[in-house]
Amino acid sequence: MKRFLLFFLSLYFSLGFFVQCSDDPTGAGSEYLKVNSWIRDQMSNYYYWNFVVPRMAPGNLTPGQFFKDILYETDEFSYITDDAETLLNELNGAQYSSGVSPAILSFSDRDQLFMVVKYVYPNSPAQQAGLKRGNIILSVNGQTLSSSNYQELLQINGTVAYGLGSYSLDEGTQQMNVTDLDSIVSVQKEILQLDPVITTKVIETGGKRIGYLFYAQFIDGIADVFMYRLNERLAELKAQEVDELVIDLRYNPGGRITAASQFANALVPLEAAQNEEIFVEFEYNSFLENFYRTSEGTDSENLFLRFQEGPVSMGLERIYVLTTNETASASELLINGLKPYMEVITVGSNTFGKYYGSFVITGTFQSPPLYYAILPVTLKYSNANQETDFIDGLEAQIAASENILSPKPLGDPEDPLLKAAISDILGQSVTENTYITTIASTVNWYPTLSNQLQSSAWFIQD
């Protein structure tokens, strides 16, 4: 991570001559002037739409408000936090967590909020306490979830008592309900190293050996530990001589470009990796684009990211990827970047639709240090065929959907998304389940802060 941060520090000084700005034009105060001046300088250098950044920074606006006010009108992705340390830990996979990945829902005709466990990290306190995918939680530490308190309750430290509920569907009226089970599960939150490979397995059916891997987010881990583990899991699947591979990215919001690149190296046909073909191309603001071209050359790795031969090559001509509208950013980069070189069949629903990336910029190297971090949209990417701007997401080639209120275990061949992929592999017709229409019209989804970046659909350029 130190290398990662030093990159920004050295680049900032190299680009500093571009910034000629003044401060506090209104004279309305200086409480936030130092932080806002720092924000303004970084945004002037790195922001993809830097033409909207003002030449002067006020001292009377909070940093969060100033940052929000200067964003380009269509930018819903750039992010600021006053807790750089926590953010950097999360980027390395270290989170203060019980090991639950939650979805916060409510029924459209009722005010009641409830949490559904999308998945549980292996060997986490949550798994040890018996929580599992599909569990419904109605309260935290005795407080019923509501739209006004759920984010605060999700961030409670220490021991957390989850009040469980159950889901039911009236077959006659199609009315969905959750009811209190009067059961409590207590879980201790800890700093966890959350390995993004949740589960792998091999499914033998119809004369095929189908590998399955669920991947939660694109993170390297300290000293690339998660990448080593990913390669180990892929090598295990290859050793079992899988004919096909299904990668489950249905809840993957993105992550670091290095993780996506190394994953892609294992998936792309070996010839493309050996020839170092283009994986993705990056486009920046004119200042940054010119800086890279003049200082590093037109083939700079900051302009073109190429495949590299890695420790594992799956040796497949096609892969299946399970997707939903939570599949975002680096997940979409992986799919889009592989498409020019192999068949990538997407199963589920359209992805989120984000073709931008960010730098992580912190003020911790300032003197005195600033404990803020910003993640401005810094670049736009396209694949080797110049395909980008998929504003409505990458289209699912095979439609399938799950009932998040009553889901099958991850990797279960009866899970609707995986079942659709298997059916296509076996040459069978695929019929989409109809209950998703009912779910979509009666359930509201709320953003969560279980990961500071999760609702921002993120990918990070190193």
Side-chain angles (χ1 to χ4, degrees):
M1 181 56 72
K2 182 178 291 185
R3 174 188 61 79
F4 177 51
L5 294 177
L6 286 175
F7 167 79
F8 295 111
L9 184 67
S10 60
L11 186 57
Y12 169 65
F13 284 126
S14 299
L15 293 174
F17 65 91
F18 287 127
V19 180
Q20 299 290 332
C21 303
S22 302
D23 297 318
D24 199 18
T26 66
S30 59
E31 181 180 1
Y32 304 110
L33 183 58
K34 181 177 176 62
V35 177
N36 288 347
S37 297
W38 173 79
I39 291 172
R40 186 240 11 243
D41 290 348
Q42 309 311 312
M43 296 290 279
S44 295
N45 285 329
Y46 301 115
Y47 193 41
Y48 184 75
W49 299 284
N50 65 344
F51 56 84
V52 303
V53 178
R55 295 183 60 81
M56 295 178 286
N60 63 327
L61 289 180
T62 64
Q65 186 62 54
F66 175 59
F67 183 80
K68 180 180 178 181
D69 286 351
I70 66 176
L71 297 182
Y72 187 61
E73 59 184 357
T74 61
D75 180 9
E76 56 182 317
F77 305 116
S78 293
Y79 180 85
I80 185 172
T81 176
D82 61 0
D83 188 358
E85 181 180 7
T86 297
L87 172 66
L88 297 176
N89 285 335
E90 289 188 353
L91 291 175
N92 270 333
Q95 295 183 36
Y96 194 82
S97 172
S98 65
V100 164
S101 179
I104 305 297
L105 310 175
S106 73
F107 295 123
S108 300
D109 58 349
R110 281 157 278 178
D111 295 331
Q112 178 188 21
L113 263 67
F114 53 94
M115 180 195 307
V116 178
V117 176
K118 293 189 291 188
Y119 57 89
V120 175
Y121 282 89
N123 304 314
S124 66
Q127 186 188 61
Q128 293 166 5
L131 289 174
K132 59 184 179 180
R133 172 167 161 83
N135 280 156
I136 291 175
I137 296 171
L138 301 179
S139 66
V140 177
N141 286 3
Q143 298 185 62
T144 301
L145 292 169
S146 70
S147 58
S148 62
N149 71 8
Y150 78 93
Q151 293 197 9
E152 179 182 351
L153 293 179
L154 286 179
Q155 298 181 78
I156 289 177
N157 296 332
T159 301
V160 179
Y162 293 126
L164 300 183
S166 66
Y167 160 74
S168 62
L169 174 67
D170 187 305
E171 295 292 345
T173 64
Q174 293 297 297
Q175 176 78 26
M176 294 180 289
N177 294 289
V178 292
T179 54
D180 193 341
L181 287 176
D182 197 25
S183 176
I184 303 294
V185 173
S186 293
V187 182
Q188 177 68 39
K189 286 189 175 182
E190 303 172 0
I191 296 293
L192 303 176
Q193 293 291 331
L194 299 177
D195 188 337
V197 179
I198 303 300
T199 187
T200 62
K201 68 185 304 182
V202 175
I203 300 165
E204 297 188 51
T205 182
K208 294 283 189 177
R209 296 177 63 82
I210 302 169
Y212 170 86
L213 184 148
F214 181 94
Y215 198 64
Q217 55 185 334
F218 289 87
I219 50 177
D220 308 283
I222 298 173
D224 288 342
V225 62
F226 295 149
M227 299 316 303
Y228 290 122
R229 292 177 185 172
L230 172 63
N231 284 325
E232 287 175 354
R233 304 297 284 276
L234 289 171
E236 290 169 1
L237 292 175
K238 183 175 182 178
Q240 295 181 70
E241 300 181 339
V242 296
D243 306 303
E244 306 277 357
L245 180 62
V246 179
I247 302 169
D248 196 338
L249 302 179
R250 74 181 75 185
Y251 306 130
N252 191 316
R256 294 181 64 170
I257 182 64
T258 48
S261 176
Q262 291 189 60
F263 201 165
N265 289 338
L267 300 175
V268 75
L270 182 59
E271 182 179 5
Q274 291 175 331
N275 292 338
E276 297 188 358
E277 302 285 358
I278 292 174
F279 176 35
V280 288
E281 178 179 353
F282 301 124
E283 174 187 284
Y284 305 87
N285 67 48
S286 59
F287 288 152
L288 203 50
E289 187 93 11
N290 290 336
F291 172 81
Y292 286 136
R293 290 186 181 279
T294 56
S295 65
E296 301 178 4
T298 56
D299 199 38
S300 164
E301 64 179 14
N302 285 304
L303 299 173
F304 297 93
L305 186 60
R306 297 179 179 276
F307 294 106
Q308 302 286 333
E309 187 173 359
V312 181
S313 177
M314 294 303 294
L316 301 172
E317 295 299 321
R318 71 175 181 182
I319 58 171
Y320 286 75
V321 183
L322 308 186
T323 63
T324 67
N325 63 357
E326 293 187 68
T327 306
S329 209
S331 293
E332 295 168 300
L333 180 142
L334 178 74
I335 296 167
N336 201 41
L338 288 171
K339 279 188 172 182
Y341 305 99
M342 64 189 306
E343 188 177 11
V344 181
I345 301 174
T346 48
V347 180
S349 54
N350 287 12
T351 64
F352 184 83
K354 180 170 182 263
Y355 35 87
Y356 297 107
S358 299
F359 285 171
V360 178
I361 308 172
T362 78
T364 54
F365 287 100
Q366 303 294 303
S367 181
L370 302 174
Y371 296 102
Y372 281 82
I374 59 174
L375 286 84
V377 168
T378 312
L379 58 88
K380 179 180 176 180
Y381 74 84
S382 58
N383 67 11
N385 292 339
Q386 299 295 302
E387 294 169 326
T388 185
D389 293 326
F390 41 89
I391 191 169
D392 296 321
L394 298 170
E395 184 177 1
Q397 295 156 267
I398 300 173
S401 52
E402 68 177 353
N403 181 356
I404 188 62
L405 298 173
S406 183
K408 296 291 185 181
L410 296 174
D412 187 326
E414 290 301 311
D415 164 67
L417 274 66
L418 181 54
K419 184 176 183 178
I422 293 172
S423 295
D424 192 72
I425 288 170
L426 299 180
Q428 302 169 353
S429 62
V430 180
T431 303
E432 184 181 6
N433 289 309
T434 58
Y435 55 67
I436 191 61
T437 304
T438 303
I439 293 290
S441 63
T442 58
V443 173
N444 297 322
W445 292 70
Y446 292 76
T448 71
L449 295 179
S450 58
N451 180 309
Q452 287 195 37
L453 297 173
Q454 192 162 354
S455 61
S456 297
W458 53 292
F459 96 72
I460 308 303
Q461 162 74 315
D462 296 86

